[in-house]
Amino acid sequence: MIHELKEIIQHAIINQQKGLKNVLASVVFLEGSSYRKPGVRMLISEDLSTVGAVSGGCVEKEIIHRAKSVFLDNQAKIITYDGRYRLGCEGILYILIEPFYIENEFLNQFSKALKNRESIEINSFFIKNDDAIGNFGSQCVFQHQETHSFYEKFTLQTKNEIALFTQILKPAFRLLIIGGEHDAVKLCKIAANIGWEIDVITSTKDPKMLTDFPGANSVIGETPETIQFENIEENTAIVIMNHSYVQDLKYVMQLSNYQPKYIGILGAPKRGERLFNELFELKPDLNPDFLDAIYTPAGLHLGAQTPEEIAVSIIAEIMSVFNKKEPFSLRNLKGKIHQ
């Protein structure tokens, strides 16, 4: 969810440059069940435009209405929304609405954390009452324990009735795409839309530019023999889509020096069998865990045919691997969706 906060901050800065105040609404507690969980946020600007959402769209209008007082008196408030009687969601949302101002030092620390792929802790202080106005607010804690409040007026006061919601925002999930054809562009675009951080490696014989891959963080031309992979063993998936068996094999041989959790490779099943056989011949002492991380053909069996559909099937498979979930229809689920 770091990408949601990143988008909120970007729009808040634009509003500040226009001279508009910002208010941040955060779900900080939930009794029962709801469409989304504590930690989701929505930015409201003084002209009542919004970025983000805290539900499926049913709560936002009331939040906007009740946020108007925060723009007027610059005081944070807690509101509740009982979905049991209005939505059938069986839950009560506790929402913290607070002034939100991006200072330069906070922006520098946030940008540094993103670049270094560091986790960020957010602590929100509130009370479990409806329409309560007071000294409530949120603070960001960065890796070196540097703390920044979301608005200058908020000062932490320890009281027995004050509740605390703590959220750890992990670095954005990273996708490394090896390939530069049309289907690689589609995969990049869809992955970027869900907030993944994408780096692309293309052939030095057919170099591409960053503008060729909407949403990508970087695009480089590199050969399999010389590339050095960095930080690919945690929170990173790799998809090889060169449409060249020889190139694919060379990249997999380079990757065998590491232990990534997911390597997806395009191609027919027979192509995958050939690749495994040649891997064993070239490197008989290959780590079995490395072989288990190879998924070829890449993607879930969804009947995908177009590049966009294939991209969706690959992304779904990556999510199932990293979330340790066996894919099946939610209609067959007994119990809660999120355990």
Side-chain angles (χ1 to χ4, degrees):
M1 296 210 292
I2 188 72
H3 69 282
E4 294 179 335
L5 181 59
K6 178 182 176 182
E7 184 180 12
I8 283 172
I9 289 173
Q10 289 173 340
H11 281 270
I13 293 171
I14 293 172
N15 289 337
Q16 288 176 194
Q17 292 171 345
K18 294 178 179 178
L20 296 173
K21 292 182 180 179
N22 294 299
V23 158
L24 186 68
S26 309
V27 176
V28 291
F29 190 73
L30 171 64
E31 291 180 3
S33 62
S34 180
Y35 178 74
R36 299 200 68 185
K37 305 302 175 186
V40 295
R41 298 176 177 85
M42 176 175 73
L43 180 75
I44 308 166
S45 73
E46 201 170 9
D47 61 5
L48 303 186
S49 62
T50 63
V51 174
V54 299
S55 76
C58 38
V59 182
E60 282 69 15
K61 286 184 179 179
E62 180 160 340
I63 293 175
I64 294 171
H65 174 71
R66 299 178 71 177
K68 292 177 182 178
S69 66
V70 182
F71 286 114
L72 293 174
D73 59 24
N74 209 39
Q75 292 192 65
K77 67 191 296 186
I78 307 295
I79 68 170
T80 64
Y81 189 92
D82 194 338
R84 296 174 299 176
Y85 305 110
R86 310 182 193 191
L87 310 173
C89 287
E90 302 179 355
I92 303 174
L93 295 172
Y94 289 77
I95 302 163
L96 167 64
I97 305 177
E98 61 185 311
F100 189 58
Y101 186 82
I102 304 300
E103 296 180 338
N104 289 335
E105 184 57 32
F106 168 79
L107 182 60
N108 291 338
Q109 289 294 327
F110 184 78
S111 301
K112 181 180 177 182
L114 291 182
K115 182 179 179 180
N116 296 335
R117 296 184 61 78
E118 299 171 353
S119 295
I120 299 172
E121 178 180 310
I122 299 180
N123 294 316
S124 296
F125 301 87
F126 66 102
I127 61 173
K128 296 177 184 177
N129 285 334
D130 182 34
D131 215 29
I133 298 174
N135 186 43
F136 314 124
S138 302
Q139 294 180 328
C140 262
V141 183
F142 296 97
Q143 191 174 55
H144 301 293
Q145 299 304 307
E146 186 164 347
T147 302
H148 291 270
S149 297
F150 282 169
Y151 68 104
E152 186 179 11
K153 198 174 180 180
F154 172 67
T155 55
L156 178 59
Q157 297 178 4
T158 304
K159 294 182 179 179
N160 293 333
E161 67 270 20
I162 292 290
L164 168 64
F165 169 68
T166 297
Q167 181 184 33
I168 305 296
L169 294 180
K170 295 181 179 179
F173 187 85
R174 183 178 178 225
L175 175 63
L176 178 60
I177 299 174
I178 301 177
E181 301 303 327
H182 178 67
D183 50 2
V185 175
K186 297 298 182 181
L187 177 59
C188 175
K189 188 175 181 179
I190 294 175
N193 283 340
I194 60 175
W196 290 6
E197 184 178 287
I198 303 108
D199 294 300
V200 181
I201 298 173
T202 63
S203 170
T204 53
K205 296 179 181 179
D206 184 23
K208 299 289 175 67
M209 300 177 65
L210 190 60
T211 53
D212 295 318
F213 288 85
N217 179 56
S218 68
V219 176
I220 62 169
E222 189 65 85
T223 65
E225 295 83 4
T226 60
I227 190 168
Q228 297 294 315
F229 294 101
E230 296 182 0
N231 303 319
I232 63 170
E233 300 188 351
E234 292 292 334
N235 208 32
T236 299
I238 302 159
V239 179
I240 301 175
M241 43 202 327
N242 286 299
H243 301 280
S244 165
Y245 174 80
V246 173
Q247 289 293 98
D248 288 356
L249 180 60
K250 288 180 179 179
Y251 276 112
V252 174
M253 285 296 295
Q254 260 320 65
L255 286 166
S256 67
N257 298 315
Y258 308 84
Q259 189 52 60
K261 293 183 178 180
Y262 178 96
I263 303 173
I265 307 173
L266 291 190
K270 288 185 178 180
R271 190 175 185 270
E273 293 175 10
R274 178 186 173 192
L275 184 138
F276 278 113
N277 289 334
E278 294 200 28
L279 275 176
F280 278 121
E281 291 179 8
L282 295 169
K283 202 165 185 177
D285 59 343
L286 209 56
N287 187 337
D289 291 338
F290 175 77
L291 296 175
D292 287 341
I294 297 176
Y295 292 78
T296 184
L300 297 182
H301 187 30
L302 304 176
Q305 295 185 22
T306 67
E308 291 87 353
E309 291 173 347
I310 292 169
V312 169
S313 76
I314 292 173
I315 288 172
E317 181 177 62
I318 291 171
M319 292 179 64
S320 72
V321 169
F322 278 83
N323 293 329
K324 299 179 181 178
K325 299 291 185 181
E326 190 67 31
F328 64 88
S329 175
L330 286 176
R331 64 185 287 178
N332 298 321
L333 180 67
K334 306 299 181 184
K336 296 181 178 180
I337 296 177
H338 303 287
Q339 301 296 333

